[in-house]
Amino acid sequence: MSQRISNGLAERRVLGFAKGILLDWDGCVAVGGRILPCAKRLIAEHADRVAIVSNNSTHLPADLKEILAWHDVDFPQDRIFLAGVEAVRDVAQSGAKRVMLLSAPKIRDLARTLGVPLVRDNPDVLVLMRDARFSYAKLERAANALRQGARLVVANADRTHPGPADRVVPETGALLAALLACAGDAKFEPSVIGKPGPLLFQRACQHLNVAPQHAVMIGDNPETDGEGALRLGIRSILIGGASSLKLEDLLEPIAA
Ligand SMILES: [Mg+2]
């Protein structure tokens, strides 16, 4: 970790010049559905240039907008890009005929609304995301679907995300590890929709109408937020455990 005497001064300058600011959700804007006070201030300081880019696969943009609204933050829903929702959109556009979706119920509802043909068995596409009702029976059906040649799409490959009271929340990647452990010698190349893949970053930059080199990603995970941004030429600012910086270091000092 580099010696840092500026307490975020250089990063605040970078934010000041950025035309678009992409913000991670878990561990950055919120922990366990509670908005961090610093995130509230950061969003207010850069309101018209911020998009939220998250590997979250259990919520809809409307849910995050509502959580923000409870904390008196008015944030446009169309600037919230979530891996689960984008995975469903992608599969809906792919023309897949039989889709097995392991997800939260509200993501299944979204899939039905978008016309995704959901099946229990023999899918041509298996879509995996955080499913709090994941079970032995689902694992068995999904592993055999893969062995029979289904294409695998995963919302993200994160194994956990930070929860309240320093606990971890098992993520899609943990379910993916269980699935791959059962799938035998067959080779699978999952399509990963979330970070560090390019899709969420690209959709956010397009929506903000900024070129990647004029955008900055703020996140707490070097492997997803940092690496994904780097691949597209987006500058990244890491905060939290992986960095000597905290989110509050990115706020403009309050004038005395
Ligand atoms: Mg995070």
Side-chain angles (χ1 to χ4, degrees):
M1 217 45 62
S2 62
Q3 287 278 321
R4 191 174 294 282
I5 53 168
S6 63
N7 288 332
L9 179 62
E11 287 79 6
R12 289 198 297 276
R13 283 195 181 135
V14 167
L15 286 183
F17 284 114
K19 292 187 176 158
I21 297 173
L22 315 185
L23 258 182
D24 175 44
W25 178 259
D26 279 304
C28 191
V29 174
V31 172
R34 201 174 55 83
I35 304 295
L36 302 170
C38 293
K40 206 170 145 172
R41 267 187 61 201
L42 189 84
I43 290 171
E45 282 177 9
H46 305 285
D48 55 343
R49 306 181 274 156
V50 176
I52 289 169
V53 174
S54 168
N55 276 358
N56 180 305
S57 66
T58 46
H59 290 77
L60 304 174
D63 300 325
L64 269 53
K65 178 182 168 61
E66 199 177 318
I67 294 169
L68 286 159
W70 288 337
H71 294 76
D72 300 319
V73 180
D74 184 21
F75 196 88
Q77 189 174 312
D78 60 0
R79 279 200 253 137
I80 302 174
F81 298 88
L82 307 179
V85 169
E86 299 304 328
V88 169
R89 287 207 175 117
D90 233 47
V91 171
Q93 287 163 8
S94 75
K97 298 283 185 290
R98 297 178 63 82
V99 177
M100 182 189 288
L101 173 61
L102 302 187
S103 73
K106 71 169 58 175
I107 302 289
R108 289 184 72 78
D109 291 344
L110 172 70
R112 285 192 196 96
T113 304
L114 295 179
V116 175
L118 298 180
V119 297
R120 266 182 69 82
D121 284 298
N122 302 317
D124 45 44
V125 181
L126 166 63
V127 185
L128 179 68
M129 47 189 84
R130 190 158 85 83
D131 178 0
R133 299 181 194 176
F134 192 77
S135 65
Y136 188 90
K138 285 184 181 178
L139 178 59
E140 192 269 341
R141 284 194 287 117
N144 285 294
L146 281 189
R147 289 171 61 86
Q148 286 158 13
R151 184 166 72 82
L152 177 59
V153 176
V154 297
N156 67 70
D158 307 350
R159 294 192 179 209
T160 61
H161 72 246
D166 213 22
R167 292 169 71 90
V168 294
V169 178
E171 258 295 344
T172 312
L175 308 183
L176 176 64
L179 184 57
L180 295 180
C182 301
D185 296 331
K187 281 199 182 142
F188 306 109
E189 201 55 60
S191 301
V192 179
I193 299 295
K195 300 172 287 186
L199 193 89
L200 300 183
F201 298 103
Q202 287 167 335
R203 291 201 172 154
C205 284
Q206 269 164 17
H207 189 85
L208 292 173
N209 200 24
V210 296
Q213 64 268 28
H214 295 140
V216 177
M217 174 76 211
I218 301 173
D220 64 338
N221 187 331
E223 289 165 16
T224 53
D225 303 315
E227 174 65 24
L230 180 71
R231 286 183 200 168
L232 288 176
I234 296 172
R235 291 186 79 150
S236 69
I237 297 176
L238 288 172
I239 56 152
S243 163
S244 58
L245 277 181
K246 296 188 172 78
L247 194 62
E248 62 225 53
D249 295 325
L250 306 182
L251 298 173
E252 289 303 328
I254 296 172

